[in-house]
Amino acid sequence: MDQCTSDTAALRGLLNTEYAFGQRARDSVKAAFLEYLAEDSLVLQPLPVPGRAFYTAASESADKLEWYPAVVDLAGSADLGFTTGPWIYTTASGGQVHGHFLTIWKNDAKCRWLVQFDGGVSHAAPANAETKLEPDQVSYAVRIGPPQILIAGGAVSQAINDFQGTSRQPCAPMHEPPTFASTRTAKHRWVWRPPTIICPSASVSANGTTMPAAYL
């Protein structure tokens, strides 16, 4: 069946496209991204920039970039999805950096999966490699909420505690935006500054609770 009209076929088609994308990058990272990036795509370098313009201007390199998907899912419409998994960046001199990527995909008018957004973070080499997710291992079912594999233990209570802790901070000017990670490369690392509250000009009461206007 056409991957635009079948949920499971769409999911497997997305994984097949991700693997084809990675295989193309073994020959040329630049050519791979230019083949699979949508016209209006964004990539993190380290802030969001137009993807096709960035890779059109990029130089070819002897460095290697390899990755594979470990998690995949679709929107209920089955025309939007994401893949995430580990990547390894190997320089021409043999040095390596490890990380994880997140790619948002969208079906175009011809039912082709194209990259709408791509970003990644670098981290220490993992002790154990994640399992590759193969297309014949997946099937689609409508869910409420993200896959359990992406939900950290105690995530809800931690989010509440973080919010409450932040809301008790004194008013202060907002920090500059955080520095984001680079697109599946080792050039940039994730840097995060703790949030501070913008002094609100007004507060809004919701269900009897007064909340800073900055959160609304």
Side-chain angles (χ1 to χ4, degrees), residues 10-23:
L11 193 63
R12 293 178 178 178
L14 174 53
L15 273 179
N16 281 322
T17 303
E18 176 66 271
Y19 276 109
F21 182 23
Q23 186 62 41

Side-chain angles (χ1 to χ4, degrees), residues 2-18 20-21 35-38 72-75 77-83 103-116 140:
D2 192 299
Q3 70 179 53
C4 285
T5 58
S6 172
D7 295 341
T8 295
L11 193 63
R12 293 178 178 178
L14 174 53
L15 273 179
N16 281 322
T17 303
E18 176 66 271
F21 182 23
E35 182 174 341
Y36 287 95
L37 285 171
V72 64
D73 206 359
L74 290 179
S77 59
D79 62 353
L80 188 70
F82 77 88
T83 52
T103 304
I104 306 299
W105 298 81
K106 188 175 182 180
N107 256 331
D108 69 3
K110 297 181 179 179
C111 296
R112 297 177 303 177
W113 285 107
L114 295 176
V115 174
Q116 198 69 37
Y140 181 80

Side-chain angles (χ1 to χ4, degrees), residues 125-129:
N128 300 296

Side-chain angles (χ1 to χ4, degrees), residues 31-67:
F33 275 88
L34 289 177
E35 182 174 341
Y36 287 95
L37 285 171
E39 289 297 329
D40 57 348
S41 60
L42 295 174
V43 297
L44 297 185
Q45 290 293 336
L47 296 176
V49 297
R52 297 195 64 82
F54 177 84
Y55 280 99
T56 296
S59 300
E60 290 288 358
S61 172
D63 297 348
K64 299 295 183 182
L65 180 60
E66 300 173 277
W67 70 84

Side-chain angles (χ1 to χ4, degrees), residues 13 22 82 85 128 135 137 191 216:
F82 77 88
N128 300 296
Q137 295 175 320
V191 178
L216 303 177

Side-chain angles (χ1 to χ4, degrees), residues 119-210:
V121 294
S122 58
H123 54 65
N128 300 296
E130 290 181 72
T131 302
K132 290 184 179 181
L133 187 61
E134 301 290 350
D136 61 0
Q137 295 175 320
V138 300
S139 61
Y140 181 80
V142 177
R143 288 185 294 273
I144 299 176
Q148 286 298 314
I149 192 173
L150 298 182
I151 302 176
V156 174
S157 60
Q158 184 62 51
I160 293 173
N161 289 337
D162 288 347
F163 175 85
Q164 292 174 339
T166 301
S167 66
R168 286 192 290 268
Q169 294 180 21
C171 288
M174 176 175 275
H175 284 308
E176 295 178 358
T179 301
F180 294 95
S182 169
T183 301
R184 303 194 197 198
T185 71
K187 295 181 180 178
H188 305 281
R189 294 177 181 273
W190 181 272
V191 178
W192 177 254
R193 299 182 177 91
T196 56
I197 299 175
I198 301 175
C199 295
S201 58
S203 60
V204 179
S205 180
N207 297 325
T209 302
T210 300

